[in-house]
Structures are given as structure tokens and as C-alpha cells.
Amino acid sequence: MIKKSQSTIRNKLPAITAIALFLFLWQSICMLELVPGYMLPSPIDVIRAFISERELLFKNMLITLKEAFAGLSLGVFIGFGAAVLMDRYEIFYKAFYPIMVVTQTVPTVATAPLLVLWFGYETTPKIILIILSTFFPVAVGLLDGFRSADKDAVGLLRSMGANNLRIFRYIKFPSALPQFFSALRITVAYSVVGAVISEWLGGFGGLGVYMTRVKKAFAFDKMFAVIFLISAISLFLMALVNLAEKKCMPYRKTEKEVKK
Amino acid sequence: MNLTRIKASQTIILNNMKKLEIKEVSKSFDGRKIIDNISVNLNKGEIVSLLGVSGGGKTTLFNIISGLTTPDCGKVYLNGEDITGKSGRISYMMQKDLLLPYRTVVDNVALPLLMKGEKKRTAREKASALFEDFGLDGTQKKYPAELSGGMKQRAALLRTYLFSDDVALLDEPFSALDTLTKASVHRWYLDVMENIKLTTFFITHDIDEAILLSDRIYLLSGTPGRISDEIIISQPKPRTDNFNLSSEFLEYKRRIIQAL
């Protein structure tokens, strides 16, 4: 156990050093006044802003998280349904896969204002935007996963008299879990960013709205504080996904150990 | 006159004893005939092997018997019942062990019971009860990746047995094992078979293995594959370790090599 935590520290040491070095440089540049203070706040200024604004940030964060969570759940749900249908019925795949790809080629910043025009400043357009940017990775990941299922294993279950539902439950779904979690890791980050972007373009609350306000006030320290908060949220959610992945796939750990 | 009647009645009795009967089965793929007019039968408790070169249509015949493929013509009878093209009646162990990497050994072995609609708990209990007989005790909660090649085959055979203790088809079950492991698995296999008396139809391309394990051997040769000979191995069971060095063994081997 101790050995393991030691090796984790050793693995992360280069990254930690690089970040520390970067912060140190940044702080030095500000303290030497190489860049005017109102344009680039120092890391310490950012932390100060974060502390003074913590209540407002927290309140807005909850709004953003709610949107992100609602959009993400629906996006995953729709992506899952799309993957199952496309895997089961070839005609669905042929008909809808190209459309799905096209939806991904349209930039979010272009669709978001339209959604605002159609659905107003409330949460609906925000959730739709998040669905649009999250269902695709989930659908594609799961579809690949379903198709990667061992054909012989499917044959084995068929020889045992299994129907399609059982084959899905015992072979296809578990085979797709690794791809599903990879997709989920991307989509949690997308969902937060999607929520922020849609708030930018119109809304009454949330980190995106807060961001536009502090930008207009030229409060760069607060701007940086909210940027870091958004990154932190994304990182935290990705860590949650990793945790869920480990819980759902305990066999992966043993496989790795055996390979060593 | 009388004699023919006695003969006829004997044939009927013999027919009734037949566990599995394959009658005049042929199959082509893409216009190429793979197997031609194959008739094979298995009596209760017999271990019969099908010996032939790789790619000679052995697996095709097994796919037909298990119901995964339908024959162009011919019939498959199990206990006198026509099961041609019906899957889920005969247990089938394929070339690969096909243990699902994401399920523990006991959950893999219990799969056939789950496919029959049994509850998870009872399925696990029933499977677990046989672990000792199959020399698998203590591996219940491990994942397949943690087992050696020989142990994986044991688990796969137990899974096959749990599906049906009636007739089992084994497609080159031990071909992936190294020579030393193979020898110990053969000994184990004969021991287990002594206890469970499973009627087994066994594919192999290993002549020694066929002679060592079988009561009877069918030779499959030519393109398309035809049954070219049937050899009865009259050596009583249990067979000692010296059997494969005896002159009888070599006599069988000579006969088979000549016939192929």
C-alpha cells in the first residue's frame, strides 16, 4: 500500500513540479511588474478574488452544475438509446449516423444563439446545447464497444439458447463499458463547458453569466478565479468518472496486475 | 427368416440406446462443399472423437450439431428427437475457452444456468458445488485473467457440463495448451469423466490425444470432408499412464496415420 502511494507520487512529481514552476514564474512576472497589474493579476490576486467572491461563485456554480448534470444525463440517455438502436438495426445506423456526424460539425457558438432565440433565456436551450455536445461521443463510444464484443462469445451464449436481450446484458453491454467510460470522461468536461458557453450567450445566472459580468467590469482577477473554478469542476467530475470506472470494472485492475 | 427378425430387433434396441445421432449431413458455403454425407452416432456415456486435419470441416459439423448452423440436408437427433437447427439443446465448448474477462470464474461457470432463467444465487451455489470435483476449488472469486491455461480449460469444461449433463461437444478443448500441461489436463479429464459419465463428442487433430481419451474415433478426411473410418479403442478405462507407450497404442496410431 505504502509502496503504491510512493510510486503514485513519483509518477506525478514531474507534473507537480512543472505547475509549481509555472505559478512561480507567473507570480514573479507580476511582482516585477513586467505586465501591468490590471491586465494580468498575480496568482495571489486570483486566490484573493476567489476568497472574496466565494459566495457568489458557489451560487453560480450550483446553477451551472444543475444545467450540466441535466444535459449530461439526457445526453447519455439519448446516446445510449441511439447506440442500441444503431447496433440492433443496421437501417438505423445507415440512416442516422451521417446526421449525427453533421450535428457535430456545427460549432456550439453558432447553435447557441439560435437556441436562445428559439427557447429563450431559461434553462431549456442550455440543456439542449449540452445534449447536442454530449450524446455523440457516448453514442459512438458505445456503438464501437457493442461491435467489439467477441463474436464467439455471442455464439456461445446463442448455443446456450440466449435471446438478444440476454446477449446484450451478458456480452455486449459489459464489452462496451471501457469505451463508455472513455466517452463519459470527455462528456463530463463538455457538459460543463457547454453550460458555460450557453450562459455566456444569454441567461440569468451561472458561471457563464458571472464571467461576462466580470469581463465587462474588467475584473481580471475574478475572471481568472472563475476560469480556474471551471477547470477544477471538470477535473473533479473526471476524477468521479475514473472512480466509477474502477468500481464498475474491478477485473481491469487484476488484469493489469497479472500482466506485470 | 428368424435370424433376420432377431437382427432387426437388435437394431431397434441399439437405436434406442443412441444418445446422439447425425444422419447424412452435408453443408456447403458459397458453393463449396465443406462436409458431405456425414453419419455419426454416440451411445450414452461414450467419449467419441472426431479426428481430422485443420480446416477439414470439423467445426462446421459441430456448429450444425449445436444448432448454430443449419445443414443443407441431413438430420440431427438427440435421444431420438429431431433437433436439427435448434440451439440450446447440446452443450458446446468452443476452441477458445471464451471465459468472459469481466465475470468472476464462478459467474462465468454459472452462465448456462442463468441463461436457463435460474436466479443468480442458486446458479452460483450450483456451480460452486462442482468446483471441487473439477479441481477448481478456491478460484470462484478470481477473474479468468488470474487462471493458468489449464485451469481456464477446466472452468470452461465445467461451464459446458453445467449447461447439459446429457451430451457435450468439445471443439479442440486442449489444443492451446503446452505439452506438459496437456498431459496433466488429460489425466484430470479422464478422472472427471470417470465420475460424471458425460456423453462427449470431441474434436481434435492430435492423434495421441484421440487414442488416449476416446472409446471410439471417427476419421474425417478429404475435401469435402467425409467419414473415412471408424476405430474402436478397446483399451479399458481407467487407462494407466503407460497406455500411451504400449504397443496397442502404437498399433492404433499406425492404423490412423495410414487411414489419414
Side-chain angles (χ1 to χ4, degrees), chain A residues 238-257:
Chain A
M238 281 158 102
L240 273 187
V241 173
N242 284 341
L243 197 72
E245 186 178 12
K246 276 190 190 133
K247 274 263 175 280
C248 290
M249 300 192 288
Y251 52 92
R252 285 229 139 179
K253 202 174 137 239
T254 41
E255 271 170 20
K256 273 179 204 154
E257 274 167 12

Side-chain angles (χ1 to χ4, degrees), chain A residues 227-248:
Chain A
I227 289 170
F228 284 124
L229 180 61
I230 291 167
S231 303
I233 293 169
S234 293
L235 285 175
F236 174 72
L237 291 177
M238 281 158 102
L240 273 187
V241 173
N242 284 341
L243 197 72
E245 186 178 12
K246 276 190 190 133
K247 274 263 175 280
C248 290

Side-chain angles (χ1 to χ4, degrees), chain B residues 92-109:
Chain B
Y92 188 4
M93 175 170 160
M94 303 191 191
Q95 251 162 359
K96 291 193 273 176
D97 59 65
L98 288 179
L99 296 171
L100 306 174
Y102 42 82
R103 295 179 79 82
T104 57
V105 176
V106 67
D107 283 344
N108 262 293
V109 169

Side-chain angles (χ1 to χ4, degrees), chain A residues 150 152-153 155-163 166-167 169-172 174-175 249-251 254-255 258, chain B residues 66 68 87-90 92-94 96 98 100-103 111-112 114-117 143 145-146 159 163:
Chain A
D150 189 337
D152 294 327
L156 177 78
L157 255 72
R158 279 222 191 285
S159 83
M160 294 178 185
N163 55 18
R166 286 221 163 103
I167 284 171
R169 182 174 156 200
Y170 288 100
I171 311 267
K172 290 204 165 175
S175 306
M249 300 192 288
Y251 52 92
T254 41
E255 271 170 20
V258 170
Chain B
S66 69
L68 291 179
S87 63
R89 301 299 300 271
I90 291 179
Y92 188 4
M93 175 170 160
M94 303 191 191
K96 291 193 273 176
L98 288 179
L100 306 174
Y102 42 82
R103 295 179 79 82
L111 262 180
L114 294 172
M115 292 306 115
K116 285 179 185 168
Y143 286 101
E146 297 170 88
R159 181 184 58 195
F163 176 73

Side-chain angles (χ1 to χ4, degrees), chain A residues 129-145:
Chain A
L129 189 85
I130 297 165
I131 291 172
L132 281 176
S133 55
T134 55
F135 89 98
F136 184 74
V138 173
V140 172
L142 276 174
L143 188 63
D144 274 353

